[in-house]
Amino acid sequence: MLKDITLGQFYPGDSLVHRLDPRVKLVLMVVYIAMVFLVEGFLGYLFLAAFLAVSAFLSRIRIKFLLRSIRPVLFIVVFTFVLNILFTRGDHPILEWGVLHITWEGVRFAVFMSLRLVFLLAGTSLLTLTTSPIALTDALERLLKPLNALHFPVHEMAMMMTIALRFIPTLLEETDKIMKAQTARGADFDTGNLLQRAKAMVPLLVPLFVGAFRRADELAMAMEARCYHGGRHRTRMKVLRVSRADGWACGATAATLLLILLERLL
Amino acid sequence: MPVEVRDLTHTYNEDSPFAAAALRDVSFAIEDGEFLGVIGHTGSGKSTLIQHLNGLIRPTSGTVIVNGLDLSDKSTDLRRVRRRVGLVFQYPEYQLFEETVQKDIAFGPRNLGLDGDEVQRRVEEACALVELPFAAVRDKSPFELSGGQKRRVAIAGVLAMEPEVLILDEPTAGLDPAGRDAILALIRRWHEGGRTIVMVSHSMEDVARLADRILVLDHGKKAMEGTPREVFADAGRLQEMGLDVPAATRLARELSDRGFDVPRDLYTLEELEEALLRAFGEGGSAC
Ligand SMILES: Nc1ncnc2c1ncn2[C@@H]1O[C@H](COP(=O)(O)OP(=O)(O)O)[C@@H](O)[C@H]1O
Ligand SMILES: [Mg+2]
């Protein structure tokens, strides 16, 4: 019932991309996003597409799976496309019909905006598909460490994120189970008007919340029993190390960035 | 309400790296009034199997036919099946949600569209069946009860729908011996009313005590099927699958191995008692 959520789902593997240092991947992702916004011409998109295609190939993630992450937001992409086509002004009309003005500039802009969204989604999905959420928060914690100087509780935030991420699958599983159990008791989650549907959620939400609180309690107890103490002096089981592959990845990204900047300038 | 399962295969998360065949080509039938025990190691597909029996999950391939209705057919009205095949999930106490015990038990019957008096009658009857003092618990919050009591409320919630086929997934898991006996006794009472029961368990003792027939699953496949006597006779095979035989069978086999005249295929405590009395009683060699 809840299986279509690929956005932000980890696809375990052992490819070159999977093995990159998560900190490097995170930084490169920021650069990638910047590139998506820097691109101005179709040539630039070609460079970006090549970059993405090579990364996707190296990650050994099937294209089908990567594209599936776009499906939940396809509506937004289409919406952006239509909106831009209809409301962009320009001097080269293609079609004029009553209040409807469709211009060359509009089509161009709409295609650009949609491509931009698709590239953003595909790129970030590639990151989350090849990096476990735990590794990501770990990387985030390291990168944000300087904020400690401003008394921002970096470690605590990262730990909270890790725990939250860790329990998302559990919660989904639990939701599925309770939904099935209530369905077996004749509950109906799929029909009726809005009010009826909202009411039908009560038998699902109450046990879900009760369970979440119980689990939080148990987890806190278990952490305390093992003397958990955040902050300084904590050592790591998995120490992150930058490897040669990370160097190559940075190089490739830098080259793509250069190409895109060149295209923009020339 | 005969149930027939043919070549049932189920794969979770098809076309994803998480794809896992939970069931492979399982076939069997359940007759009216029968008590079928389903045993198997953790992850062998027991829960997946029983969720097919009232259409909560659809087969990847194969068919499930309940009372002539094909559940793998998309046009079958599953609600019609669900009101006649009741399913008690594992740890059912985690699905309680109402303010009072009475309202929680009434949830199922009310979903059936019964009128108030009938719902009330069924709630009281179900309470009596699970031996909960109705007057004392009716207005209590289900969350204040003890673990064993919560489980009985949850089971009563399904019994109140008066299903013709009752399926229970590990109904005694996590209970103390007294709680376990209470649950088993109520299942037996329900069965004595002539209703069909399917009970999943990994306690051989529980299954030996109640089942007419046993289905053994191993890694999603049907490994054995037969009467408890037939199944428990093949202790070696069960042990290979990480299962065990009931303690009574184990003792009888040990004695037989050491040359005593005790049948190797008994499986209930009563049979064991009788066999021991026969072997040791008269001669007075024991005790
Ligand atoms: N909702 C689910 N999604 C994915 N895999 C599942 C799900 N439920 C069960 N499985 C997998 O299917 C297999 C059989 O599980 P299950 O039917 O729960 O076995 P059992 O009840 O015998 O312990 C296991 O390998 C389990 O991990
Ligand atoms: Mg199970």
Side-chain angles (χ1 to χ4, degrees), chain B residues 46-47 90 169-170:
Chain B
K46 307 181 297 289
S47 302
Q90 191 170 5
D169 195 351
E170 312 235 2

Side-chain angles (χ1 to χ4, degrees), chain A residues 3 9-12 62 64-65 68 177-178 180-188 202-203 206-207 210 214, chain B residues 13 15-18 51 54 56-57 79 82 87 89 94-97 104-105 107-108 111 143 157-158 161:
Chain A
K3 281 178 201 129
Q9 201 183 59
F10 180 45
Y11 186 112
R62 275 180 290 168
K64 193 172 117 195
F65 216 79
R68 200 183 289 173
K177 205 181 285 173
I178 297 171
K180 280 181 181 163
Q182 307 297 26
T183 309
R185 292 169 80 191
D188 182 0
V202 174
V206 173
V210 172
R214 187 190 59 239
Chain B
N13 307 320
D15 326 310
S16 88
F18 312 102
Q51 286 172 39
N54 69 348
L56 284 174
I57 40 189
R79 293 173 63 86
R82 289 192 189 127
L87 178 53
F89 270 75
Y94 293 149
Q95 78 204 11
L96 299 173
F97 69 97
D104 208 292
I105 299 177
F107 179 67
N111 284 332
F143 298 102
V158 175
M161 296 172 76

